[in-house]
């Protein structure tokens, strides 16, 4: 297991999440779905897309494409080797549902209130911890302390190969 990890949201349903570099299995996706079900109190489906490979230098393009929230992870809190990320729109959609609202009413790029950020941090930490638990026989990685709007800075060369995993998250009662 070498390289950078990255878990990022893209599109569809409640959001798509991406982890970089790790084996995905239906068991891991089901465990992640369990975390979403715990927080959203409804049946959730998580489906893993095929792993893609790219160079670490392309992460700048991903992180600069739109406003995002990030949660780093690694062997030590101050030494991330990867990160989870979701767009600001998905973050707002998730906290809106966590607060019991059905529709997204606000500007997706507005800063989250402290309660919203705390709820988002709890959800993302649980999801990342569930994913990292599958790697523990090989790596001892842990989520960072808090979600931020700045991308963590994993130590890597621009030409270092990384892989990205995408997880699509949908809810049974979601019409998205």
């Amino acid at each position: 297991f070498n390289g950078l990890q990255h878990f990022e949201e893209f599109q569809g349903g409640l959001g798509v999440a991406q982890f970089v570099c790790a084996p995905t299995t239906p068991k891991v996706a089901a465990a992640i779905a369990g975390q979403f079900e715990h927080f959203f109190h409804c049946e959730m489906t998580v489906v893993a897309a095929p792993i893609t490979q790219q160079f670490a230098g392309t992460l700048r393009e991903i992180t600069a494409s739109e406003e995002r929230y990030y949660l780093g992870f690694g062997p030590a809190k101050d030494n991330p080797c990867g990160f989870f990320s979701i767009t600001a729109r998905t973050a707002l959609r998730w906290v809106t549902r966590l607060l019991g609202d059905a529709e997204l009413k606000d500007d997706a790029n507005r800063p989250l209130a402290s309660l919203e950020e705390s709820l988002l941090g709890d959800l993302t930490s649980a999801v990342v911890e569930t994913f990292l638990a599958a790697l523990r026989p090989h790596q001892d990685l842990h989520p960072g302390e808090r979600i931020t709007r700045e991308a963590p800075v994993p130590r890597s060369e621009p030409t270092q190969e990384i892989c990205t995993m995408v997880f699509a998250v949908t809810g049974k009662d979601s019409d998205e």
Side-chain angles (χ1 to χ4, degrees), residues 70-99:
Y70 301 91
L71 179 63
F73 57 86
K77 290 181 173 114
D78 60 343
N79 186 19
C81 65
F83 58 87
F84 162 91
S85 105
I86 56 173
T87 64
R89 180 164 185 76
T90 295
L92 188 57
R93 188 179 309 140
W94 288 358
V95 296
T96 298
R97 286 195 58 161
L98 287 169
L99 291 169

Side-chain angles (χ1 to χ4, degrees), residues 84-140:
F84 162 91
S85 105
I86 56 173
T87 64
R89 180 164 185 76
T90 295
L92 188 57
R93 188 179 309 140
W94 288 358
V95 296
T96 298
R97 286 195 58 161
L98 287 169
L99 291 169
D101 292 333
E103 291 186 29
L104 184 64
K105 297 175 184 140
D106 293 338
D107 171 27
N109 289 321
R110 74 163 173 81
L112 295 178
S114 60
L115 174 61
E116 293 171 324
E117 192 170 308
S118 177
L119 289 170
L120 181 64
D122 291 346
L123 171 60
T124 57
S125 290
V127 169
V128 171
E129 180 62 39
T130 298
F131 177 78
L132 295 176
L135 302 177
R136 294 238 165 80
H138 310 288
Q139 295 288 317
D140 187 25

Side-chain angles (χ1 to χ4, degrees), residues 18-31:
Q18 250 181 357
F19 276 104
V20 176
C21 209
T24 182
T25 64
K27 184 177 177 181
V28 172

Side-chain angles (χ1 to χ4, degrees), residues 12-85:
L14 286 178
V16 178
Q18 250 181 357
F19 276 104
V20 176
C21 209
T24 182
T25 64
K27 184 177 177 181
V28 172
I32 291 171
Q35 288 297 336
F36 279 101
E37 290 171 355
H38 171 77
F39 281 88
F40 291 129
H41 306 288
C42 68
E43 187 175 327
M44 304 295 288
T45 303
V46 175
V47 178
I51 295 172
T52 61
Q53 290 188 305
Q54 59 202 48
F55 292 109
T58 63
L59 287 178
R60 287 183 192 86
E61 296 168 16
I62 293 170
T63 59
S65 64
E66 59 187 307
E67 292 293 319
R68 295 182 169 279
Y69 284 88
Y70 301 91
L71 179 63
F73 57 86
K77 290 181 173 114
D78 60 343
N79 186 19
C81 65
F83 58 87
F84 162 91
S85 105

